Amino acid sequence: MKKIAIAATLALMLVYGQTVSAAARQWSIDSAHSNIYFGVAHIFSEIRGQFNEFTAEVHFDPGNLEQSRFSFQISTDSIDTNIAKRDKHLQSADFFDAAQYPAITFESKNIRDAGNGLYEIHGTLNIKGKDRDFLLPLSLAGIKEHPAAKDKEVAGFNGRVTIDRLEYGVGDGTFYKKGIVGKDVEIFVSLELLSSK
């Protein structure tokens, strides 16, 4: 009887342990319907652009945030402001130095449910070799059966955050001091993610 009780206890511990450590649901990015946009002041106007090439690895379950995580890798040479000459300048050592630093990366450390569908993704942002603690706020637009992809569900996230580009060495401050290019850059992340049902 004692052996049966011990065996039952061990079984429960095993099941409980597997429940706690189970990986959160994995999602793949729908690159045709996901974007990372940015906006920055130029004298009196605002210049907008985007990064055309980026990847994301997402494990997300609102009921299992401990095992959920987000990671992004953005190709700096894919910056696109619709002006080729300006894009080439942004890729140069004056700004992103894409030849030496080909990627911007973000790795989450923990995720907090802030309520009303907002999730605070705490992690590390690396730009030009500089690691900084970073908070990416993402609002969950919803999770539902994909209306155009059989046996798939789709999740949507949107978020805005502002960063100081000079903190990461994106520019040396010359254009900012002259009043040409602002130092604060607004980032807008819009994601559609896919997962099998």
Side-chain angles (χ1 to χ4, degrees), residues 40-47 86 89 95 165 173-184:
V40 63
H42 183 276
I43 309 178
F44 294 124
S45 68
E46 182 178 42
I47 303 302
R86 179 168 58 208
H89 189 198
F95 290 97
R165 64 180 177 85
T174 299
F175 292 104
Y176 171 65
K177 291 173 183 176
K178 289 181 177 180
I180 299 174
V181 181
K183 66 180 181 66
D184 294 327

Side-chain angles (χ1 to χ4, degrees), residues 113-127:
D113 184 349
N116 296 319
L118 177 64
Y119 293 88
E120 295 181 340
I121 320 296
H122 297 261
T124 301
L125 179 65
N126 181 290
I127 303 177

Side-chain angles (χ1 to χ4, degrees), residues 18 20 27-28 71 78 85 93 109 118 147 152 155-156 183 189 191 193:
Q18 288 176 339
V20 170
W27 299 82
S28 61
S71 68
S78 74
K85 184 177 179 180
K109 293 179 179 177
L118 177 64
K152 293 284 187 181
K183 66 180 181 66
V189 179
L191 304 174
L193 307 170

Side-chain angles (χ1 to χ4, degrees), residues 15-65:
V15 170
Y16 180 77
Q18 288 176 339
T19 302
V20 170
S21 62
R25 186 176 185 182
Q26 185 169 2
W27 299 82
S28 61
I29 191 166
D30 182 348
S31 57
H33 303 103
S34 300
N35 293 282
I36 297 177
Y37 300 105
F38 63 87
V40 63
H42 183 276
I43 309 178
F44 294 124
S45 68
E46 182 178 42
I47 303 302
R48 293 183 177 270
Q50 65 185 46
F51 289 93
N52 292 327
E53 296 177 15
F54 67 93
T55 59
E57 184 176 347
V58 177
H59 293 261
F60 178 77
D61 181 345
N64 186 9
L65 293 182

Side-chain angles (χ1 to χ4, degrees), residues 74-93:
I74 305 164
S75 298
T76 50
D77 66 1
S78 74
I79 194 167
D80 183 359
T81 63
N82 205 34
I83 302 291
K85 184 177 179 180
R86 179 168 58 208
D87 295 341
K88 190 172 182 180
H89 189 198
L90 290 170
Q91 293 167 12
S92 76

